[in-house]
C-alpha cells in the first residue's frame, strides 16, 4: 500500500512547552485516519503541522513522497475543514466555493465544473445564491467541506468539523462524511474527541495522550484489545469495568483475585506468562458480562443497584463483592433495584493490564 502522509520524528514546542514529542505516523493512500484524544492532547497541533499552519520544531512531514516540511500550506495538496466554518460572511455560497480557485487563477470553465460537482455531492445546489447567515449550522459545515472539495486535493484534513452541531445533525453529517470518503477515496485525517465519530468513521484510530500516540489500530482492535489502561478507559461508554487485584493459582490454573473473590481466566488469550502474585487490573466491558443467562461453571452473585433503561439497551449498575459494575443487557430485560442476580464473565473478551506499567498483558 502507498503512503500518503508520513510524519517522521516530529516534535513541536511552544516556547519551553513540548506539545508533540518524536511522533511517527504513516497514513496510507485513501485511508480515513482519526486522531482521537481529550482536550489539549495535541490533535489540532499535529493537524496544523501537517497543514503547514504550524512549523515543526524537529522532524519531517512527507505528503505523497515529497518532503513538505517547509512548504507553504497552499503547496501541500491539502484541504482543511475547521470546526468554525470560517466562511466569508459577505459572499454567497457560490462565491465562497469559487473564491480560492479564482485567486489561484483557475480558468472560469473549470471553476464552474468543480463548484457544480461539489455542490451536487454535498447537495447544496439550492443554497448557492444564499449567504452564510441564511444557512443552518449543518448547511454551513457542508459549504465548508465543499470549499475543500473544489480544491481537488490529495488529502483532506478535518478538525472537529461536527462539534458545533446538535446531536441529530452531527450523526447525519457523520454518515455523509463517511459516504463522501467512500465515493472520493481520498486520504482523510480527522480530529475529534468524540469516540463514536472515531469508531464509526475510521479505518484506523490514533489515540493520543499528552502529544504521544498511545495506540494506532483499527477500531475493532482498539475496542477489543486496548494496548494500555488509558486506551481501555478512553474508549467505551460507560467505561470498561476495572477490577484491581492480582494473579493467583486456583486448582492448578492461573486465576485473578480481587477483594477476596476469585475469577477464572479460562479463555483469556495472551502471549505472556501469567505469574501468580503479579499485581494486575482486570478490565471487562459492560456488554461482556452475562446476567442470569449462559451461566458457566463459575457463578458470581451480585445485586442490582440502579437500572438505566435506554430503549434498545438496559444498563444495570450492580454491586458485586465491594465493586460497582456496569452491565449492558437487552432493553427488553428489566430488573428492579435490589434484585439478586447471577453473573458470568466472558474472559475471552476481557483485558488484563499490569498494575505498575498499565500495559496490556
Ligand atoms: N500557540 C500556542 N502557544 C502555547 N501553547 C499552545 C498554543 N497552541 C496550543 N497550545 C497548547 O498545546 C497543547 C495542545 O493543544 P491542541 O490545540 O493541539 O489540543 P487539542 O488536542 O486539539 O485539544 P482540543 O480538543 O481542546 O481542541 C495544549 O496544552 C495547548 O494549551
Ligand atoms: Mg483542537
Amino acid at each position: 500500500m502507498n503512503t500518503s502522509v508520513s510524519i517522521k520524528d516530529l516534535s513541536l514546542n511552544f516556547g519551553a512547552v513540548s506539545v508533540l514529542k518524536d511522533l511517527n505516523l504513516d497514513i496510507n493512500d485513501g485511508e480515513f485516519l482519526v486522531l482521537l484524544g481529550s482536550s489539549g492532547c495535541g490533535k489540532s497541533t499535529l493537524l496544523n503541522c501537517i497543514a503547514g499552519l504550524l512549523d515543526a520544531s524537529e522532524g519531517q512531514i512527507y505528503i505523497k513522497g515529497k518532503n513538505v516540511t517547509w512548504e507553504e500550506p497552499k503547496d501541500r495538496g491539502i484541504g482543511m475543514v475547521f470546526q468554525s466554518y470560517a466562511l466569508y460572511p459577505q459572499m454567497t455560497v457560490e462565491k465562497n466555493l469559487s473564491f480560492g480557485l479564482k485567486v489561484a487563477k483557475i480558468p472560469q470553465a473549470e471553476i464552474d465544473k468543480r463548484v457544480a460537482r461539489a455542490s451536487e455531492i454535498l447537495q447544496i445546489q439550492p443554497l448557492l445564491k444564499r449567504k452564510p447567515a441564511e444557512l443552518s449550522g449543518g448547511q454551513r459545515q457542508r459549504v465548508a467541506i465543499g470549499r475543500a472539495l473544489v480544491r481537488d486535493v490529495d488529502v483532506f484534513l478535518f478538525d472537529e468539523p461536527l462539534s458545533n452541531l446538535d446531536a441529530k445533525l452531527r450523526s447525519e453529517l457523520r454518515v455523509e462524511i463517511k459516504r463522501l470518503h467512500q465515493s472520493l477515496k481520498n486520504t482523510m485525517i480527522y480530529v475529534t474527541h468524540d469516540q463514536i465519530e472515531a469508531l464509526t468513521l475510521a479505518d484506523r484510530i490514533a489515540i493520543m495522550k499528552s502529544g504521544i500516540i498511545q495506540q494506532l489500530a483499527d477500531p475493532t482492535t482498539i475496542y477489543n484489545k486496548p494496548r494500555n489502561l488509558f486506551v481501555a478507559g478512553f474508549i467505551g461508554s460507560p467505561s470498561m469495568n476495572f477490577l484491581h487485584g492480582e494473579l493467583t493459582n486456583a486448582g492448578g490454573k492461573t486465576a485473578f483475585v480481587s477483594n477476596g473473590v476469585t475469577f477464572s481466566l479460562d479463555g483469556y488469550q495472551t502471549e505472556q506468562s501469567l505469574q501468580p502474585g503479579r499485581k494486575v487490573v482486570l478490565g471487562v466491558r459492560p456488554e461482556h458480562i452475562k446476567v442470569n443467562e449462559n451461566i458457566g461453571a463459575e457463578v458470581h452473585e451480585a445485586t442490582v443497584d440502579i437500572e438505566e433503561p435506554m430503549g434498545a439497551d438496559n444498563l444495570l449498575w450492580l454491586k458485586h463483592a465491594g465493586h460497582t459494575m456496569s452491565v449492558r443487557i437487552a432493553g427488553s430485560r428489566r430488573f428492579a433495584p435490589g434484585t439478586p442476580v447471577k453473573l458470568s464473565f466472558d474472559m475471552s473478551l476481557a483485558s488484563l493490564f499490569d498494575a505498575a506499567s498499565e500495559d496490556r498483558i
Side-chain angles (χ1 to χ4, degrees), residues 235-284:
I235 292 270
S237 174
S239 170
M240 193 181 258
N241 295 291
F242 292 119
L243 309 184
H244 293 255
E246 64 179 55
L247 297 175
T248 183
N249 196 317
K253 280 191 190 171
T254 311
F256 168 77
V257 62
S258 174
N259 284 359
V261 179
T262 304
F263 298 74
S264 150
L265 288 176
D266 280 357
Y268 189 75
Q269 309 262 326
T270 179
E271 313 269 286
Q272 298 184 33
S273 75
L274 297 172
Q275 287 294 336
R278 187 170 178 184
K279 298 265 186 286
V280 298
V281 179
L282 174 71
V284 188

Side-chain angles (χ1 to χ4, degrees), residues 80-127:
M80 188 143 172
V81 181
F82 299 92
Q83 171 180 354
S84 60
Y85 324 113
L87 300 176
Y88 302 107
Q90 75 283 15
M91 291 185 193
T92 62
V93 168
E94 192 169 23
K95 285 241 168 64
N96 264 285
L97 293 176
S98 59
F99 182 69
L101 304 179
K102 280 223 172 75
V103 172
K105 302 214 163 38
I106 308 257
Q108 188 61 42
E110 175 67 18
I111 294 179
D112 292 345
K113 209 172 85 191
R114 291 198 201 170
V115 170
R117 176 170 168 268
S119 36
E120 191 195 326
I121 292 174
L122 296 164
Q123 301 181 350
I124 49 176
Q125 297 110 318
L127 311 175

